[in-house]
Amino acid sequence: MKALNDSYDVVVVGAGPAGSMASYNASKNGAKTLLIEKSQEIGTPVRCAEAVPRLEDFGINPDPSFVKSYIRGGYLIAPNGKKIVVKGGKTDGYVVERKVFDKFLAIRSGQAGTQIAVKSRVTKIEKTDDGYNVFVNYLGDEYIVKSKIVIAADGVESNIAEYAGLKTKKNPKEICSCAEYEMTNVKLLNNEMMEFYFGDICPKGYIWLFPKGDTVNVGIGVIDSKKRAIDYLDEFLTHPLVEGRLDNAVPVEFKVGGDPVGGPIKKTVADNIMVVGDAAGHVSPLTGGGIGLSMDCGLMAGDVAAQSIRAENYSEEFLDLYEKKWKEKYYKLLMNDLKYKNILQKLSDDELNAIANSIPENLEEVDVGKLAIKIVAKAPSLLRHFKELL
Ligand SMILES: Cc1cc2nc3c(=O)[nH]c(=O)nc-3n(C[C@H](O)[C@H](O)[C@H](O)COP(=O)(O)OP(=O)(O)OC[C@H]3O[C@@H](n4cnc5c(N)ncnc54)[C@H](O)[C@@H]3O)c2cc1C
């Protein structure tokens, strides 16, 4: 087993989708890159409902080794059972086996030239004149490696960039508590459609059923709730909204995790360091989806890291190019989703039912701004929630 070198151009902390894509692009563009992952097996433990956008848009072939289901859209289901069908466009995608998918992304990065250290935890980083000393517990031994650039892709519990003064710690009230059973013998409404349930059954969040080949991910995310996420989930399994469809369901896996839905952190770069993925709040506050964003922002971080190595300029001013790139593409979307989430969290079951009754039953996309006009026209009492969107 190859030991760690003394120095690298780029050290990436965390081999989730953000870290594997960042290290892939850094290596592909010529930077000597090390990817460090604390788990002994990349992709585990899984804390995810495993829905990903069209992988072809990332130049990735949707290989059957990790693609478990094709997704063509979803049902948004109101407390009264009214279904809104959203189909086509951005709703196309896949449900993957993340244990395999995350490892696939890491393998792809390794094949581009990245050195990978698994079962290796970064314990701290320390600024030097020309970069960072990265302290790593590598397979039980302590190492210090030098790096010109560190990319913190260490997920929702991120603390690595805090050593550089970047504020990555999340407010617990903005972390969605999630619980999920992967179950077999579930009768879905449609094997290519996701199901989303809203209302008092899942305070300030939603319940999802995602098709995954022979199984279904049945999960919940709640915020600031009186009971634990799993208690709400267990109640849902016998709820009239899914009457009879989960009676014979058998769990084959149970997952828990926190999803940061408070929006992006203020600053994602400083001298010699960038932050990406969940660590940076690259997650839709409305849906909790972060895989596609993490992958894309990871590519941007890796690209800018390689450019900075070529230019021999690792300053915050240079790395700011990364922040500009991701903000240009995603900032408005993330901030709009934050606004929509804040509205959704305030709606009562009656109001959710009124909304479902006032919008078309079939949608090509969810354009909340346009829908708000229809909603308020049919249910004027909801104006107080939607007025800032009109
Ligand atoms: C229950 C649940 C369901 C979800 N469902 C979906 C979904 O269906 N679709 C979707 O798009 N998103 C979903 N998400 C969000 C999605 O999982 C994340 O947005 C995505 O994984 C972020 O990728 P990442 O690479 O930033 O972080 P992660 O995937 O969390 O990877 C971070 C990695 O860093 C490692 N690490 C952390 N600290 C260190 C350290 N000090 N040293 C070394 N390694 C370290 C961790 O072990 C981990 O492997 C869900 C989240 C939850 C909690």
Side-chain angles (χ1 to χ4, degrees):
M1 175 76 190
K2 191 174 162 196
L4 300 183
N5 295 339
D6 292 338
S7 69
Y8 294 86
D9 292 332
V10 181
V11 167
V12 181
V13 186
S20 284
M21 293 301 264
S23 56
Y24 167 78
N25 234 5
S27 292
K28 202 175 109 198
N29 290 296
K32 186 175 153 193
T33 305
L34 172 67
L35 173 63
I36 304 176
E37 170 54 50
K38 68 180 179 188
S39 295
Q40 66 184 40
E41 183 173 14
I42 289 172
T44 62
V46 176
R47 299 188 178 108
C48 191
E50 306 177 291
V52 299
R54 276 173 44 85
L55 295 170
E56 295 86 337
D57 296 344
F58 294 92
I60 292 173
N61 182 29
D63 194 89
S65 63
F66 51 78
V67 168
K68 294 290 158 192
S69 282
Y70 293 86
I71 299 298
R72 301 291 173 234
Y75 298 100
L76 308 179
I77 300 165
N80 63 4
K82 174 91 189 280
K83 297 180 190 67
I84 306 295
V85 183
V86 189
K87 229 174 171 178
K90 285 188 188 150
T91 61
D92 270 8
Y94 304 96
V95 171
V96 295
E97 183 70 73
R98 267 200 74 178
K99 287 172 205 141
V100 184
F101 180 65
D102 282 24
K103 209 188 270 187
F104 161 84
L105 294 181
I107 290 168
R108 196 163 160 266
S109 177
Q111 289 173 345
T114 304
Q115 186 181 347
I116 303 178
V118 286
K119 202 167 168 53
S120 302
R121 179 190 290 268
V122 174
T123 52
K124 65 171 177 176
I125 57 171
E126 244 174 38
K127 186 82 183 73
T128 61
D129 287 344
D130 53 355
Y132 274 96
N133 279 336
V134 180
F135 292 70
V136 195
N137 183 301
Y138 173 64
L139 297 171
D141 292 326
E142 305 296 336
Y143 281 75
I144 301 174
V145 297
K146 292 188 178 305
S147 189
K148 291 172 188 143
I149 293 176
V150 170
I151 298 179
D154 49 338
V156 59
E157 285 152 12
S158 169
N159 69 346
I160 288 306
E162 294 266 332
Y163 289 99
L166 296 171
K167 302 282 171 239
T168 58
K169 288 242 155 49
K170 314 286 178 299
N171 174 349
K173 294 207 166 202
E174 290 179 339
I175 295 188
C176 207
S177 302
C178 304
E180 181 180 75
Y181 293 110
E182 182 174 341
M183 304 180 108
T184 193
N185 303 336
V186 176
K187 288 187 193 140
L188 286 166
L189 294 171
N190 179 316
N191 287 339
E192 292 189 340
M193 299 280 278
M194 301 185 280
E195 298 175 30
F196 300 90
Y197 297 82
F198 303 91
D200 290 345
I201 51 171
C202 44
K204 296 188 178 175
Y206 65 86
I207 289 172
W208 63 83
L209 266 66
F210 289 0
K212 190 184 169 191
D214 292 338
T215 59
V216 175
N217 281 333
V218 182
I220 186 169
V222 290
I223 295 185
D224 208 13
S225 57
K226 292 197 183 79
K227 294 181 284 188
R228 295 174 309 162
I230 188 176
D231 298 328
Y232 290 101
L233 185 59
D234 284 340
E235 282 170 15
F236 176 76
L237 299 180
T238 53
H239 195 279
L241 281 171
V242 284
E243 199 179 1
R245 295 199 287 128
L246 287 147
D247 287 358
N248 299 317
V250 177
V252 293
E253 191 164 335
F254 178 65
K255 304 157 205 167
V256 286
D259 205 353
V261 291
I265 62 170
K266 284 211 162 64
K267 204 163 166 253
T268 55
V269 292
D271 286 345
N272 308 82
I273 188 163
M274 292 179 267
V275 192
V276 65
D278 273 13
H282 290 150
V283 177
S284 158
L286 185 62
T287 66
I291 301 172
L293 270 144
S294 296
M295 289 170 68
D296 203 15
C297 296
L299 286 175
M300 294 177 197
D303 179 41
V304 171
Q307 284 187 46
S308 127
I309 297 298
R310 281 199 300 274
E312 298 184 14
N313 183 347
Y314 326 115
S315 64
E316 179 177 329
E317 290 70 40
F318 193 100
L319 300 181
D320 200 44
L321 176 61
Y322 157 66
E323 185 158 300
K324 284 205 176 79
K325 279 185 170 201
W326 78 254
K327 282 195 169 165
E328 195 180 305
K329 194 159 174 190
Y330 291 118
Y331 190 75
K332 197 170 157 209
L333 181 143
L334 290 172
M335 297 315 281
N336 277 342
D337 277 5
L338 188 58
K339 227 187 291 173
Y340 305 153
K341 180 201 73 174
N342 290 338
I343 294 173
L344 186 66
Q345 288 186 340
K346 291 191 194 116
L347 297 170
S348 67
D349 278 9
D350 285 346
E351 289 171 329
L352 286 164
N353 292 335
I355 290 172
N357 289 333
S358 56
I359 60 177
E361 285 178 15
N362 288 286
L363 297 172
E364 293 253 315
E365 56 168 346
V366 181
D367 181 331
V368 183
K370 281 188 195 154
L371 290 177
I373 298 169
K374 289 194 166 69
I375 293 165
V376 173
K378 288 218 175 158
S381 64
L382 293 176
L383 177 64
R384 65 197 172 97
H385 293 301
F386 291 97
K387 59 177 180 273
E388 66 171 311
L389 306 183
L390 300 173

